[in-house]
Amino acid sequence: MAHGSKKVIYAALAGNTLISITKFAAALYTGSSAMLSEGIHSLVDTGNQGLLLYGMKKAAKPADKHHPFGYGVELYFWAFVVAILIFAVGSGVSIYEGIQKLLHPHPVSNPMVNFVVLGLAFVFEAGAWIVALREFNNTRGKRSYLLAVRQSKDPTVFTVLFEDSAAMLGLLIAFAGLVAAEMTGIEWFDGAASVAIGVVLAGTAILLAYETKGLLIGESAAPELIATVETLITQEHAVIGLNELRTMHLGPHDVLVAISLDFRDSLTASEVEETTSRLEEMIKTRYADVRRVFIEAQSAARHRQALERDAKANGNGVDASKDEAGMVAAH
């Protein structure tokens, strides 16, 4: 999947670099605010793809004594930075430029140049968008697009997909604004299109920030993985209860699993060790993304006491019949 993610980013990086240069040249030549906003948009996208590649490189660093769980979260951090840049630079500058054009309208010279550039840019953006969409569909399965984005742990693909979607919508808005200004002679249509592009970018940035924030602060693994781990546990004769099961993504393909189990009192220490080792091996064999499995032997009563103690320390109440994750199971 990492190779696929890089392919998507490289495709978008190449396309946006060429498109941004072309748009800026057209904006300087014609004086179009909408075209200038589109140039800024493509320039920001180009920088964003560079940041995503940098994040992937940093995330691949091996764990060390200062970061014993590795650097996988670096990718989530840089994806969040991308969302901030889209909002602050892309959206902010586009809206500012559009307002200036609304306050001080002036005609767009040689509009045909803008139309040609917009048409070519749309073709290039569509090519990059198709690459991103295909890669996203490879992981989406039968899920809806919204659900797939919500459950995705790899921000690189859906970030590029959102950026390219916003780019194509922005091109259509710029085209509409230029056509309206040319046909009606109302010069502020160009500025209005620039403001509209800024609004589209703001919406995209907010959506990306929301999704990447969840990844950055820690999201659980897929429900299917959790259900499978629960099933493996219930099949162990040595285990009489699952006190708690917690998972967290430390990167797109780096999952931590922490389990608290209530073992039969008749078991010897070696039998408990054998059971925990067998469970860890089965979980890692079934899911290659699970890099670390921590299994704690703890009675159900002790576990409830620990939860109540922690809740009291935090000033919160707790239902002693359930663990904090709401995932108690026994057989």
Side-chain angles (χ1 to χ4, degrees):
M1 183 59 193
H3 175 73
S5 299
K6 284 188 176 182
K7 179 179 69 175
V8 171
I9 297 174
Y10 282 132
L13 179 64
N16 282 316
T17 299
L18 297 174
I19 292 170
S20 61
I21 294 173
T22 306
K23 286 178 179 177
F24 277 123
L28 291 174
Y29 184 71
T30 64
S32 168
S33 293
M35 183 59 72
L36 180 60
S37 296
E38 276 299 302
I40 295 169
H41 180 183
S42 295
L43 181 62
V44 172
D45 284 351
T46 302
N48 289 343
Q49 271 96 58
L51 288 177
L52 290 176
L53 288 172
Y54 178 75
M56 293 179 72
K57 181 180 179 181
K58 295 287 287 184
K61 291 176 58 178
D64 53 40
K65 65 178 182 178
H66 298 294
H67 296 86
F69 290 103
Y71 291 81
V73 182
E74 281 260 14
L75 178 58
Y76 298 156
F77 169 76
W78 290 109
F80 189 76
V81 171
V82 165
I84 295 174
L85 287 177
I86 293 175
F87 185 84
V89 181
S91 175
V93 175
S94 294
I95 292 175
Y96 173 80
E97 177 64 23
I99 291 175
Q100 291 299 310
K101 184 66 177 286
L102 291 173
L103 295 176
H104 309 288
H106 56 80
V108 176
S109 61
N110 297 303
M112 187 56 64
V113 174
N114 285 325
F115 293 143
V116 172
V117 170
L118 288 175
L120 292 174
F122 190 87
V123 172
F124 295 146
E125 290 284 7
W129 180 82
I130 290 173
V131 173
L133 181 63
R134 285 176 177 172
E135 191 62 32
F136 184 73
N137 283 334
N138 287 338
T139 61
R140 183 173 67 90
K142 296 182 179 180
R143 295 173 295 175
S144 67
Y145 285 97
L146 181 59
L147 181 61
V149 170
R150 293 302 311 275
Q151 294 182 350
S152 175
K153 310 305 178 185
D154 186 352
T156 56
V157 176
F158 70 72
T159 295
V160 173
L161 182 62
F162 282 5
E163 284 182 346
D164 289 344
S165 298
M168 289 196 296
L169 181 57
L171 289 169
L172 293 175
I173 292 173
F175 180 82
L178 289 171
V179 169
E182 181 68 16
M183 294 184 64
T184 65
I186 301 176
E187 298 170 352
W188 58 259
F189 269 125
D190 183 43
S194 182
V195 172
I197 292 170
V199 172
V200 169
L201 291 176
T204 303
I206 291 171
L207 183 58
L208 285 174
Y210 178 79
E211 292 300 329
T212 53
K213 183 207 73 170
L215 295 170
L216 191 59
I217 63 178
E219 287 190 357
S220 63
E224 295 81 5
L225 186 152
I226 295 173
T228 300
V229 172
E230 288 181 325
T231 300
L232 292 174
I233 291 171
T234 58
Q235 292 173 350
E236 284 292 333
H237 178 72
V239 178
I240 61 174
L242 168 61
N243 298 321
E244 189 172 5
L245 169 59
R246 297 196 180 191
T247 63
M248 186 171 70
H249 267 268
L250 302 176
H253 305 286
D254 187 353
V255 180
L256 180 149
V257 177
I259 308 169
S260 173
L261 297 178
D262 188 0
F263 290 90
R264 296 185 184 278
D265 294 337
S266 59
L267 295 179
T268 64
S270 62
E271 288 174 329
V272 172
E273 291 175 356
E274 289 174 4
T275 303
T276 56
S277 297
R278 184 167 56 252
L279 279 172
E280 179 179 358
E281 184 178 356
M282 286 191 297
I283 293 170
K284 289 184 175 180
T285 300
R286 186 71 64 90
Y287 293 99
D289 287 349
V290 176
R291 305 286 181 83
R292 300 166 185 85
V293 179
F294 298 103
I295 300 177
E296 176 186 44
Q298 189 178 38
S299 70
R302 290 290 186 183
H303 181 71
R304 285 195 297 270
Q305 290 174 5
L307 290 180
E308 291 169 353
R309 183 174 60 251
D310 292 343
K312 186 177 180 180
N314 294 328
N316 299 319
V318 63
D319 183 353
S321 66
K322 296 182 178 180
D323 71 300
E324 288 179 281
M327 299 181 69
V328 171
H331 64 283

